[in-house]
Amino acid sequence: MHFFPALEEGRLIRRYKRFLADIETVHGELLTIHCPNTGSMLNCMAEGARVWFSRSSDPKRKLPGTWEIGETPQGRLACINTARANALVEEALRAGVISELKGFTGLKREVAYGVENSRIDFRLDYDQGSAWVEVKSVTLGFDGTNVAAFPDAVTLRGAKHLRELACLAREGVRAVQLYCVNLSGIEAVRPAQEIDPVYAAALRDAVAAGVEVLAYGVTLTSEQMWVDRALPVLLELDPDALLVLPAV
């Protein structure tokens, strides 16, 4: 995925009201831009850190730009725009990068399903049946470890999606939870038990029901980003033990 037009660089002044961010561009321009991230962005931003944003030429827009990438307190790059995750995954699916999901004959997005009135991110059709794929964007990293975690805040919606996937799996339908790791320097993913124990339990229950759990890493630059590698998912891990892992 190439950024076109090219992203512009600035420095973060502050993020507030969830969807707003004040920045100063490298040319000294002060702007308020859209922050397209509903999460807490824990460990994902710092005042004064570098940011990259896309500028809009649409005169009807209230804000002149969108925050796309940020530099984390650990010096990593994180994709702030959570809407990019599904586009990245679709690009990777069509290119055959996600080996576990290759060979589909049809792809549909935002398909209604489930007993809790949900929408799946992707339904992939194969000759032998369909695979239902839920995508989550991962941006939570920590000092002293190359293991990222999800979620960065309590997510009732995320737990709901896992229950829906588990129901499909119990019925013999292929169900997949796919973590798109939009954070550089990461080598594995785990549930953030210390932030949302309900979600972590729901993930373990989903796996027990037959849900496949995949994670793929993303390479990020200010020019482009792409899914490029499979990562392990660590379902059972003491968060304190992560500090012994080498940082990247």
Side-chain angles (χ1 to χ4, degrees), residues 19-20 38 90 92 107 124 127 133 137 144 155 163 172 185 188 205 233:
F19 298 111
L20 300 177
T38 61
E90 181 172 357
L107 180 154
L124 304 178
D127 291 339
V133 183
S137 177
T155 172
R163 291 194 301 270
D205 289 345
V233 179

Side-chain angles (χ1 to χ4, degrees), residues 17-232:
K17 295 183 179 179
R18 185 179 291 184
F19 298 111
L20 300 177
D22 291 340
I23 66 168
E24 181 179 3
T25 72
V26 292
H27 304 295
E29 185 181 8
L30 297 177
L31 297 174
T32 298
I33 61 174
H34 176 52
C35 176
N37 193 308
T38 61
S40 72
M41 292 177 58
L42 178 65
N43 288 356
C44 201
M45 60 181 175
E47 293 183 2
R50 291 183 297 171
V51 298
W52 289 265
F53 68 99
S54 55
R55 192 185 291 261
S56 174
S57 59
D58 185 354
K60 296 181 181 179
R61 275 194 57 155
K62 292 183 179 180
L63 299 175
T66 299
W67 188 0
E68 298 285 355
I69 295 174
E71 187 178 48
T72 76
Q74 297 81 36
R76 297 183 171 107
L77 295 182
C79 179
I80 303 303
N81 189 345
T82 56
R84 296 285 186 184
N86 280 16
L88 281 168
V89 168
E90 181 172 357
E91 182 179 78
L93 286 169
R94 294 190 183 279
V97 173
I98 302 175
S99 60
E100 297 90 344
L101 298 173
K102 291 172 67 173
F104 57 87
T105 57
L107 180 154
K108 291 186 178 180
R109 296 184 60 169
E110 296 294 326
V111 179
Y113 82 114
V115 297
E116 298 185 54
N117 298 319
S118 299
R119 285 188 175 272
I120 199 74
D121 289 316
F122 296 99
R123 193 192 76 192
L124 304 178
D125 296 325
Y126 299 84
D127 291 339
Q128 65 272 30
S130 296
W132 299 71
V133 183
E134 180 66 30
V135 176
K136 297 298 181 190
S137 177
V138 180
T139 57
L140 176 56
F142 302 91
D143 289 325
T145 174
N146 55 11
V147 179
F150 183 89
D152 65 1
V154 173
T155 172
L156 299 177
R157 185 168 178 265
K160 168 189 170 183
H161 290 157
L162 289 173
R163 291 194 301 270
E164 297 278 43
L165 291 174
C167 286
L168 288 177
R170 292 188 189 100
E171 295 171 357
V173 177
R174 190 179 183 192
V176 181
Q177 172 62 66
L178 173 60
Y179 294 106
C180 181
V181 185
N182 283 309
L183 184 66
S184 64
I186 295 299
E187 297 302 329
V189 183
R190 67 175 177 90
Q193 171 77 31
E194 69 276 36
I195 293 175
D196 191 345
V198 172
Y199 180 87
L203 180 61
R204 291 190 289 270
D205 289 345
V207 171
V211 174
E212 299 173 47
V213 180
L214 307 176
Y216 270 76
V218 175
T219 293
L220 301 96
T221 73
S222 59
E223 291 82 30
Q224 60 180 316
M225 52 194 297
W226 65 96
V227 174
D228 63 355
R229 65 199 185 281
L231 300 175

